[in-house]
């Protein structure tokens, strides 16, 4: 979603802010802008398109000067993609300048009020309304004006504000949209993500909801929007520069696919007690008694995270013998969900900021569920809302198409299911044996990655086809959904995933000569049934690409092309079978000439409904 970078200190800040903004490009955006205060005057330059377009424009109109400033990448919500609607926005009275992530929900009534006061708007955005409101309330104290304005607003915001009349002050505030403050030596950065800060300082703190920070080169003061002082916890940012750089790969998505073995080794580290067959999950320890008594698990997520949650459902039923459901968090939050006693709700999210998943978790919690999180970003909003949880530890995911977070989510959910199963029905031996298989996964993924060239060649054969099917059963039905999502989101090919048996109930009508149908056909309980489905597709002229278990020569009789994955217990298989699908989607997008890391219309984390 939108990106924020702001600076106050003693350095000329244009370049360092733009470098930070580039680190946020992966989040998805459609326009970019920058403002500084130069000799007491605010200057704003903005443009639709990429940060590179903004840099071109700055070359033409002249570089920004100033040691205080802000820049922004916008992902349109209110108002189309135009230069006027891009941020920063200014007011028409007090020399206020603002950048904003989120949505001010009551902007229409605030706008009417401000128009009656004589303000004239040049954009269609809710953000300009906030700029005008702060300007209207400004009386020589920017911090107080921001606090007062935010008391009038409903919705979500991460904002940074500056004012010509206080040319050394930045004021930032947050509700529902993350903001970090980087604390340097006589200089401070504010950003929507730590990756924009890390090359300047590793000391930072996160603003909490309804908090405001006033920053000058001399220091900062943090308070609530009601002006109650608060003391933030300045901490070491746990991001390594190499984690957020390409390091020889062509795209972040490719890097993250190849990083999966390492990522999973981190997910597992210290969590296997093979000797006594116990999974060690410190994040659950305080709630062990409630978890043992759990009668139902509700898994919540969106997109790829939902696919991991769907696999989680099978895992909880198989390994922990607990009734489980998985749900779109966007649907769950607006239903009237029945939450029985001893229900555990698990939010699955890479970013920990997905608005629907956050709201669904709160809904479940309010109805008495124990709230767990399976989250990647440490300290994210959802992580902070949970009672307990397990972090994925797969490192920052920059690629918009989620890959290593997916395998991390499935692995972490497996660990939680084993942790609960071991306290209910699983013997130490069963658990140890599954852990041993788990330990082999990174090496097995490496074997799949080694077949990348073959996967690329096969992809080349089909890349011009506009309609694809992805089919699987059981644990690999969600994998089929994930394969289809990966393909469509970066290559813009229409792809549908479904349970293989569902095909006969309608979608089979789509199959025509040469249509690619990807089957996840690894060895498992439903192998024979998948074989029958494959033949149904073949009989209608479809071209079958199968993901199969190494050593399965039989499959070659039925499939035009085969991607082999090593053998593994069925519950662990999606972690392997998804890898060729990720690589195939990656190659299809590159072959079609698309920007894999910046797919059209997509944002990395969806912090609006
Ligand atoms: C697809 C993708 C999205 C996310 C979804 C949830 O590749 O990345 O479908 O999985 O937006 O995001 P998180 O996991 O951050 O809650």
């Amino acid at each position: 979603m939108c990106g924020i970078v702001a600076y106050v200190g003693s350095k000329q800040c244009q370049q360092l802010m733009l470098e930070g903004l580039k680190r946020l490009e992966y989040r998805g955006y459609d326009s970019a802008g920058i403002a500084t205060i130069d000799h007491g005057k605010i200057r704003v330059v903005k443009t639709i398109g990429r940060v590179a377009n903004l840099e071109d424009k700055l070359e033409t109109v002249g570089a920004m000067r100033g040691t205080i400033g802000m820049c922004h990448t916008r992902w349109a919500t209110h108002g189309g993609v135009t230069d006027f609607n891009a941020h920063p926005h200014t007011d028409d009275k007090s020399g206020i300048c603002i950048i904003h992530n989120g949505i001010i929900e009551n902007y229409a009534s605030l706008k009417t009020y401000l128009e009656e006061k004589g303000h004239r708007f040049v954009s269609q955005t809710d953000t300009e309304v906030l700029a005008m409101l702060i300007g209207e309330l400004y009386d020589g104290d920017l911090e107080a004006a921001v606090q007062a304005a935010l008391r009038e607003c409903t919705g979500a915001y991460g904002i940074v504000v500056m004012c010509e009349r206080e040319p050394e002050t930045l004021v930032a505030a947050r509700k529902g949209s993350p903001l970090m403050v980087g604390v340097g030596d006589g200089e401070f950065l504010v950003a929507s993500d730590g990756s924009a800060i890390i090359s300047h300082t590793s000391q930072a703190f996160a603003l909490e909801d309804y908090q405001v920070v006033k920053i000058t080169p001399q220091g900062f003061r943090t308070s609530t929007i009601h002006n109650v002082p608060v003391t933030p916890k300045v901490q070491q940012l746990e991001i390594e520069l190499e984690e957020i750089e390409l390091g020889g790969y062509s795209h972040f998505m490719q890097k993250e696919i190849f990083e999966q073995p390492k990522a999973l080794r981190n997910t597992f580290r210290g969590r296997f007690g093979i000797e006594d067959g116990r999974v060690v999950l410190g994040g659950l320890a305080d709630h062990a008694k409630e978890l043992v008594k759990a009668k139902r698990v509700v898994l919540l997520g969106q997109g790829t995270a939902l696919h991991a949650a769907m696999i989680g459902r099978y895992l909880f039923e198989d390994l922990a013998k607990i009734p489980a459901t998985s749900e779109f968090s966007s649907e769950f939050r607006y239903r009237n969900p029945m939450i029985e006693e001893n229900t555990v709700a698990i939010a699955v999210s890479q970013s920990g900021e997905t608005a629907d998943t956050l709201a669904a978790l709160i809904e479940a919690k309010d109805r008495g569920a124990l709230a767990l999180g399976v989250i990647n970003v440490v300290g994210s909003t959802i992580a902070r809302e949970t009672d307990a949880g397990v972090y994925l530890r797969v490192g920052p995911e920059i690629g918009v198409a989620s890959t290593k977070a997916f395998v991390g989510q499935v692995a972490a959910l497996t660990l939680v299911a084993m942790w609960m199963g071991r306290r209910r029905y699983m013997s130490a031996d069963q658990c140890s044996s599954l852990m041993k298989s788990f330990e082999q996964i990174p090496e097995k993924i490496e074997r799949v990655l080694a077949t990348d060239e073959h996967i690329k060649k096969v992809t080349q054969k089909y890349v011009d086809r506009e309609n694809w099917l992805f089919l699987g059963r059981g644990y690999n039905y969600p994998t089929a959904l994930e394969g289809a999502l990966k393909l469509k989101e970066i290559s813009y090919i229409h792809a549908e995933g479904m349970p293989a048996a569902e095909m006969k109930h309608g979608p089979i009508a789509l199959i025509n000569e040469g249509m690619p149908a990807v089957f996840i056909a690894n060895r498992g309980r439903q192998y024979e049934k998948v074989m029958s489905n494959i033949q149904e597709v073949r009989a209608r002229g479809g071209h079958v690409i199968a993901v199969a278990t190494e050593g399965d020569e039989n499959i070659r009789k039925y499939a035009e092309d085969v991607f082999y994955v090593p053998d593994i217990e069925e519950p662990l298989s999606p972690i392997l079978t998804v890898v060729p699908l990720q690589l195939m989607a990656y190659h299809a997008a590159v072959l079609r000439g698309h920007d894999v890391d910046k797919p059209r219309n997509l944002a990395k984390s969806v912090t609006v409904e």
Side-chain angles (χ1 to χ4, degrees), residues 59-84:
E59 291 234 328
T60 314
V61 299
M64 314 291 288
R65 292 199 48 79
T67 56
I68 178 169
M70 54 177 67
C71 57
H72 188 262
T73 44
R74 171 176 188 253
W75 190 79
T77 55
H78 289 67
V81 182
T82 65
D83 285 3
F84 276 129

Side-chain angles (χ1 to χ4, degrees), residues 302-305 348-351 354 400-402 409 485-486 489 606:
Q302 292 288 132
T304 289
V348 183
S349 175
Q350 187 286 128
S351 62
T354 300
V400 170
S402 186
Q409 284 159 350
L485 176 60
K486 286 288 90 81
E489 69 180 324
V606 184

Side-chain angles (χ1 to χ4, degrees), residues 215-287:
I215 313 170
T216 67
Q218 287 72 46
F220 62 87
R221 180 187 111 89
T222 326
S223 60
T224 68
I225 60 169
H226 297 284
N227 201 27
V228 178
V230 286
T231 311
K233 211 161 131 198
V234 178
Q235 285 177 320
Q236 182 83 11
L237 275 177
E238 282 182 18
I239 302 174
E240 301 290 337
L241 259 185
E242 67 172 42
E243 287 180 329
I244 55 172
E245 285 177 345
L246 274 173
Y249 288 94
S250 305
H251 299 96
F252 282 107
M253 181 185 180
Q254 185 193 31
K255 177 181 181 227
E256 287 158 8
I257 294 172
F258 278 85
E259 253 171 25
Q260 292 180 118
K262 178 175 151 215
L264 286 182
R265 284 188 184 104
N266 281 336
T267 308
F268 303 158
R269 185 169 307 123
R271 288 174 164 170
F272 290 154
I274 292 190
E275 297 295 287
D276 56 354
R278 279 194 187 278
V279 177
V280 183
L281 295 174
L284 302 187
D286 288 348
H287 291 273

Side-chain angles (χ1 to χ4, degrees), residues 351-363:
S351 62
E353 302 295 344
T354 300
D356 283 320
T357 304
L358 172 64
L361 187 78
I362 292 172
E363 185 67 35

Side-chain angles (χ1 to χ4, degrees), residues 185-207:
D185 191 8
E187 60 177 4
F188 299 86
L189 283 111
V190 183
S192 47
D193 187 315
S195 57
I197 290 177
I198 191 70
S199 50
H200 296 279
T201 173
S202 58
Q203 295 296 303
F205 65 89
L207 277 184

Side-chain angles (χ1 to χ4, degrees), residues 267 271 281 284 299-301 305 308-309 316 345-352 357 361 371-377 380 382-383 386 388-393 405-417:
T267 308
R271 288 174 164 170
L281 295 174
L284 302 187
L299 295 129
L300 302 162
F316 280 98
I346 306 185
V348 183
S349 175
Q350 187 286 128
S351 62
T357 304
L361 187 78
L372 299 195
V374 168
I375 311 284
N376 194 34
V377 177
S380 55
I382 302 179
T386 55
V390 175
Y391 280 120
L392 309 184
R393 300 191 194 148
F406 175 76
V407 297
Q409 284 159 350
V410 177
L413 286 168
T414 315
L415 295 180
V416 179

